[in-house]
Amino acid sequence: MKPRTYYARSGLINIAYQVIGTGPIDIVYVPGWVSNIDLMWQNPELSSFLNSLAEIGRVILFDKRGTGLSDRVSDLSTLEERMDDIRAVMDAVNAEQAILFGHSEGGSASALFAATYPQRTKALITFGVFAKRRYSPDYPWAPTDTERQKVYDMIEANWGGGDMDLVSLAPSKANDSVFMEWLASYFRSGASPSAALVLTKMNTNVDIVNVLDKINVPTLLMQRTDDIDVKIEEGKYINKRIKNSNFVEFPGNDHLFWAGDTEPILTEMLSFIKELKPEKNNHVVSTLSTVLNVSIEDYERHLAHLSDDEYDKTKQQYETILKKAIAQFRGQPVKNDKEGYCAWFDGPIRAVHCALVIRQNIKALHLQTKIGLHSDSCQITSEDYITGDAVNIAQRIRANTKRNTILISQSVKDLITGSGISYLHEQELSLSSALGSYHVFEIDEQDFGSAADSTAPLAQSHSLLDSVLESIQSNLSNDQYSVDIMCTEVGMSERQLQRKLKSIANKSPNQMIRSYRLHKAKDLLSKQTGGVSEVAFKTGFNSVSYFSKCFKKEFGLVPTELFQVNYM
């Protein structure tokens, strides 16, 4: 029986989730690539597997943003946003801590979550996980660019059809026409052709190699020996880098865990879960964090000519800008830093956006900043006292930075894929004899995101996408709302907004407006908050016929059909 679907709010995005079971342990299933939680229950193998897990705990499953039943206002989702979605769903069901079960790309997102939020991760379980999706000499098992291009071509030519070589995901089901037809339908219902292509291209750039040794929770890695999609060597590579992880290899070549012989997989998972020991209370948490270190170039010299009152006023303005920006992007000041102003963040994209806001706003004081960022292990106490390599390396990167420049380390760059943040060039810095050399990248001077105009009404959002969605939401019923108004409210030129939205959401501003309004309309109709014409006008459509046409194009049915279904 298909469980009820609920929605959790991740920012302004609705994340669809379902819950089965009532046991004392929470297990969050994080699916890979594309999913649809409703269609999962149409496959007997997958539904049976999930129901078996639910016998020992509460199983929580969801569709990531842009896929399945979740909002599709953006085709892209960064790993950081995927972590936000996991946390939003956990919060919605009051799961303070959970076991994460990640499949394929979902395993990569789960691994990053486990490293970043160890206090919320009871254990990590993965099946067919990869650390990278692009060949390199130090990771030779990943597909080459030529091999990935063949996948792109297949998606463009026949998304979800028989020519897409879905058999490679479940070779044991090659002659099972019912299963293969369901799988094709599952993928088609999970994402549009353009979204599937963009998600695949984004996965090509996933790189969590430097995250693996930061994971400090009990970990079970599982994979089939002859998996065609993700090579067995990848699982062994990951196993060597996650401390005290268990690696279990099963015979077979199916990449989908619910295809082939599933009983040994389920048995291994249940055994691992039952053997988990209660956690010890630890006042120090080791977590993957991104540290930002900022200083003012020749601070005292720039302020030397000021009177005492002017000096105090400028210093106060400087500190206010820093504190406001850090709070805006969910950062925490570092209390023990002695050089520069330091803060730590649970997401590298938020940290970079914070740096952009700080640089832009400090310029108004006629001061020049130097900012360095690094993602690494940190030890954090309950009093927010923080130590670790990330603090020291961020400080050294900042010390080697030119004025009005933001430098990020390789570890930050690896984790901001798909964010729209661009950089100019790479250089190698020798930080110290103890720390060695690090590859760093300079953030593009023009890459201000939502901070392009700090006086704009919505310039205080976490990101450009948040700013855009807040602008649309505040003008939801205004049928005169336009891209010009959006540009004014987010503080960005139309040309820059077009470029940035395309890179972070794969949509133009007009497409974003229409998509957000249609998803809000669907939500209102589902909640039976008014008739079709009333909902159309509430969401900024001044023509019911045009609203119906757009609605059918977006969701495959006219609004009256959805309205009638909800009243049956």
Side-chain angles (χ1 to χ4, degrees), residues 131-142 207-210 212 233-234 236-238 240-241 410 414 439:
K132 290 176 69 171
R133 210 61 176 133
R134 189 178 222 158
Y135 170 88
S136 64
D138 59 345
Y139 198 89
W141 317 284
D207 188 343
I208 61 163
V209 168
N210 292 322
L212 301 175
E233 289 83 3
E234 298 182 63
K236 294 177 179 179
Y237 174 95
I238 293 169
K240 288 180 180 179
R241 282 156 180 77
Q410 179 75 50
D414 289 342
H439 289 278

Side-chain angles (χ1 to χ4, degrees), residues 426-437:
E426 176 183 1
Q427 57 181 299
E428 187 172 351
L429 289 181
S430 180
L431 301 184
S432 69
S433 56
L435 296 174
S437 297

Side-chain angles (χ1 to χ4, degrees), residues 1 43 109 137 145 154 239 255 285 353 403 475 509 527 539 543:
M1 181 178 175
N43 177 256
D145 287 347
M154 283 190 293
N239 172 233
H255 180 63
V285 177
H353 283 149
R403 61 187 181 184
N475 291 277
K527 293 177 179 176
T539 52
S543 166

